[in-house]
């Protein structure tokens, strides 16, 4: 069963079993997932985890301080296993029985350990072992003038629906793929740059 694991101060703060229903996340006690925060960096109603078309989507609810993935403020992201979302001092990770870990993920800015990603079978790289390793994260930083072509390129690179791809492009900068091989990351970068976008590739 999938669960949302929340880390704080280097240890598990709580783990919430996911049953396909939407979860509201924030500081207020009315939320499904309450993130206590006396500093009020976490908003009262900060984010929502939604089940859409067989995937969990993390949506920021226009919070004051934002939801962050790999040093980029995001509005909406597919929360695949291995993606570490930061809300205030909390780290949120989607885990399944296969990806369960006892090692707490922390901010990418510290260079510390992040939970390994699980890549869907149809997205797995067939490259040679030379590309093996911690993998790379592909970030859409700027869309440019060719929005329609960029949306098409994002769909091809991620498998997102049209509406999801439009939202990703509209909310750039945004993470497109996480923990892919160098050659796959470079192929995505070239595809997006040909469409007129700017892309950053960094080690995961």
């Amino acid at each position: 069963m999938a669960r949302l694991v929340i880390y704080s101060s280097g240890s598990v703060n709580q783990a919430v079993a996911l049953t396909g229903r939407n979860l509201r996340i924030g500081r207020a006690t009315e939320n499904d997932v309450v993130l206590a925060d006396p500093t009020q960096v976490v908003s009262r109603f900060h984010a929502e985890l939604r089940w859409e078309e067989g995937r969990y989507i993390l949506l920021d609810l226009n919070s004051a301080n934002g939801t962050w993935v790999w040093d980029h403020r995001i509005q909406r992201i597919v929360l695949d296993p291995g993606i570490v979302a930061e809300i205030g001092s909390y780290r949120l990770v989607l885990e399944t029985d296969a990806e369960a870990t006892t090692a707490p993920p922390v901010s990418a800015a510290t260079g510390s350990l992040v939970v390994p990603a699980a890549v869907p079978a149809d997205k797995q790289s067939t490259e040679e072992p030379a590309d093996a390793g911690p993998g790379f994260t592909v970030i859409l930083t700027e869309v440019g003038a060719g929005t329609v072509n960029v949306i098409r390129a994002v769909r091809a690179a991620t498998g997102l629906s049209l509406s999801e791809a439009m939202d990703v492009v509209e909310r750039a900068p945004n993470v497109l793929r996480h923990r892919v091989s160098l050659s796959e990351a470079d192929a995505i970068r070239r595809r997006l740059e040909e469409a007129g976008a700017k892309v950053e590739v960094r080690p995961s």
Side-chain angles (χ1 to χ4, degrees):
M1 174 183 290
R3 55 193 167 272
L4 181 67
V5 181
I6 301 168
Y7 296 87
S8 178
S9 301
S11 60
V12 175
N13 175 269
Q14 54 186 303
V16 182
L18 301 178
T19 59
R21 69 184 182 93
N22 295 343
L23 295 177
R24 185 71 62 89
I25 303 166
R27 194 178 77 247
T29 56
E30 297 92 334
N31 287 286
D32 302 295
V33 179
V34 178
L35 304 180
D37 183 14
T39 66
Q40 299 188 7
V41 173
V42 178
S43 295
R44 284 176 49 79
F45 300 99
H46 197 107
E48 188 170 83
L49 187 65
R50 298 179 179 176
W51 176 251
E52 296 181 2
E53 300 180 358
R55 289 187 274 193
Y56 283 101
I57 309 296
L58 184 63
L59 179 69
D60 185 89
L61 300 177
N62 297 315
S63 63
N65 294 296
T67 301
W68 297 78
V69 173
W70 290 100
D71 297 335
H72 286 268
R73 186 168 182 165
I74 60 95
Q75 185 69 26
R76 174 188 175 99
I77 192 170
V78 177
L79 194 65
D80 287 327
I83 296 290
V84 180
E86 302 179 25
I87 296 179
S89 62
Y90 293 92
R91 309 287 179 262
L92 284 64
V93 180
L94 178 69
E95 289 187 356
T96 65
D97 291 335
E99 288 84 33
T101 179
T102 57
V106 295
S107 172
T110 68
S112 299
L113 178 65
V114 174
V115 181
V119 182
D122 61 343
K123 296 287 189 291
Q124 290 178 357
S125 173
T126 57
E127 302 297 329
E128 295 299 322
D131 277 335
F136 294 83
T137 296
V138 183
I139 303 165
L140 173 65
T141 57
E142 293 183 29
V143 175
T147 304
V148 172
N149 289 335
V150 173
I151 290 171
R152 290 172 179 162
V154 167
R155 293 192 68 190
T158 62
L160 294 174
S161 68
L162 177 59
S163 61
E164 289 173 334
M166 290 173 65
D167 193 65
V168 165
V169 170
E170 180 182 349
R171 304 294 183 180
N174 226 331
V175 174
L176 294 182
R177 295 291 302 277
H178 179 57
R179 295 187 68 84
V180 298
S181 69
L182 177 58
S183 57
E184 186 174 2
D186 190 56
I188 294 171
R189 178 188 58 77
R190 289 198 305 270
R191 183 192 294 265
L192 268 293
E193 288 180 347
E194 288 172 0
K198 292 185 178 180
V199 176
E200 178 183 344
V201 175
R202 65 168 64 176
S204 296

